[in-house]
Amino acid sequence: MKRHILICGASRGLGLGLVRAFLDAGWQVHAVVRELRPASPLDALRTQHPETLHVITCDLNRLDASCRIEAALHGQRLDCALFNAGVYGPSHQDPRQAEVDNIGLLFLANAVAPVRLAQQLAGQVLDGGVIACMSSQMASVELALAADMPLYGASKAALNSLLRSWQAQLPELPWSLLALHPGWVRTDMGGDAAPLSVEQSANGLREVITRQLGQSQCAFIDYQGQPLPW
Ligand SMILES: NC(=O)c1ccc[n+]([C@@H]2O[C@H](COP(=O)([O-])OP(=O)(O)OC[C@H]3O[C@@H](n4cnc5c(N)ncnc54)[C@H](OP(=O)(O)O)[C@@H]3O)[C@@H](O)[C@H]2O)c1
């Protein structure tokens, strides 16, 4: 039986790398992108893997995003739902300059939309599966690493807080609920100076997720499976 994973935010960067990593491991991948650009890397992957890569187009910030994704899944249950999409927010990263539009978009894209989608699509995830959101070590209030990017860090801390609140609302976890730190990775967001390639991070995250199958815990862990303080 093939394992099925939903990867949201798969057009480029880590999301695209995760699509490759799970296809390489023989999983069936449902990849959600805002739009499928012709001749893009994801389009080329779809041509190479017509049976195992299913592309769903949807803006994840939309209120009806879960309905669109659920309809596209046609009842297919998932071993893993991975909410990877994220944005950096305003380049100034200064609360004193924050405007309602850019701050609203940052917290919607990085915190509210992924948790809302996870909650709405949780019924599609098999018991013993994994629901994971791409967080960041910048989310850790205890580590306090986000001095250079406080708004981004706050949005990821809000994501982690929403995950912990959801966990507290559930009498028991039928699946694992993960906040993942991918490492510092060379992508459009991570920049050229980052030490990790997309492939290194994505392969590590694939191993972390695969090891979680069959467990049910809420954890904040990095791409090597190391726990991080909330
Ligand atoms: N890179 C790092 O070092 C690093 C470190 C810690 C955490 N992270 C987190 O890891 C995740 C991936 O980061 P990355 O470096 O790969 O970023 P990236 O290169 O900027 O890619 C972001 C991805 O999110 C998608 N996305 C954003 N908003 C979306 C929406 N409303 N609907 C659909 N897709 C949307 C983008 O799609 P479009 O192409 O349509 O814009 C793109 O595929 C993010 O959550 C990020 O915060 C990254």
Side-chain angles (χ1 to χ4, degrees), residues 67-79:
C67 298
R68 294 165 71 108
I69 294 170
E70 202 171 339
L73 287 174
H74 297 296
Q76 178 61 55
R77 306 291 301 281
L78 302 166
D79 297 276

Side-chain angles (χ1 to χ4, degrees), residues 11-12 14 34 59-60 84 134-135 152 156 185 187:
S11 63
R12 56 195 166 94
L14 262 171
R34 240 192 288 245
D59 183 328
L60 298 163
N84 163 76
M134 203 62 80
S135 183
Y152 174 77
K156 292 292 188 179
V185 189
T187 62

Side-chain angles (χ1 to χ4, degrees), residues 16-229:
L16 181 65
L18 285 158
V19 170
R20 280 206 180 92
F22 280 94
L23 285 173
D24 286 350
W27 288 51
Q28 180 85 35
V29 178
H30 307 268
V32 185
V33 291
R34 240 192 288 245
E35 56 168 331
L36 180 60
R37 290 179 271 270
S40 62
L42 187 68
D43 197 24
L45 269 184
R46 194 171 65 146
T47 308
Q48 283 168 33
H49 301 271
E51 304 293 330
T52 47
L53 175 56
H54 170 213
V55 177
I56 302 167
T57 54
C58 178
D59 183 328
L60 298 163
N61 291 342
R62 288 175 59 120
L63 257 181
D64 66 351
S66 69
C67 298
R68 294 165 71 108
I69 294 170
E70 202 171 339
L73 287 174
H74 297 296
Q76 178 61 55
R77 306 291 301 281
L78 302 166
D79 297 276
C80 177
L82 174 51
F83 301 93
N84 163 76
V87 296
Y88 182 70
S91 56
H92 58 69
Q93 288 289 308
D94 183 348
R96 290 162 295 191
Q97 296 179 50
E99 304 272 5
V100 67
D101 285 354
N102 53 32
I103 285 305
L105 185 62
L106 173 66
F107 278 76
L108 177 63
N110 285 4
V112 176
V115 175
R116 168 168 80 195
L117 276 168
Q119 291 175 338
Q120 290 169 331
L121 293 171
Q124 302 293 123
V125 178
L126 293 160
D127 286 2
V130 173
I131 295 179
C133 290
M134 203 62 80
S135 183
S136 165
Q137 64 180 3
M138 302 296 165
S140 172
V141 175
E142 191 173 328
L143 292 177
L145 295 170
D148 292 335
M149 47 186 88
L151 296 177
Y152 174 77
S155 71
K156 292 292 188 179
L159 167 67
N160 283 11
S161 173
L162 286 168
L163 289 175
R164 293 298 299 272
S165 297
W166 185 23
Q167 177 206 5
Q169 288 164 0
L170 295 168
E172 62 183 37
L173 280 181
W175 12 253
S176 278
L177 186 58
L178 304 179
L180 296 172
H181 169 55
W184 182 19
V185 189
R186 288 189 295 279
T187 62
D188 292 341
M189 190 188 295
D192 294 337
L196 288 177
S197 68
V198 166
E199 193 180 5
Q200 285 171 311
S201 173
N203 287 346
L205 289 165
R206 182 189 64 203
E207 292 315 310
V208 167
I209 287 169
T210 306
R211 279 201 299 271
Q212 285 291 323
L213 293 171
Q215 302 189 36
S216 57
Q217 59 165 337
C218 181
F220 182 20
I221 45 179
D222 74 8
Y223 72 106
Q224 295 176 310
Q226 296 302 313
L228 289 160

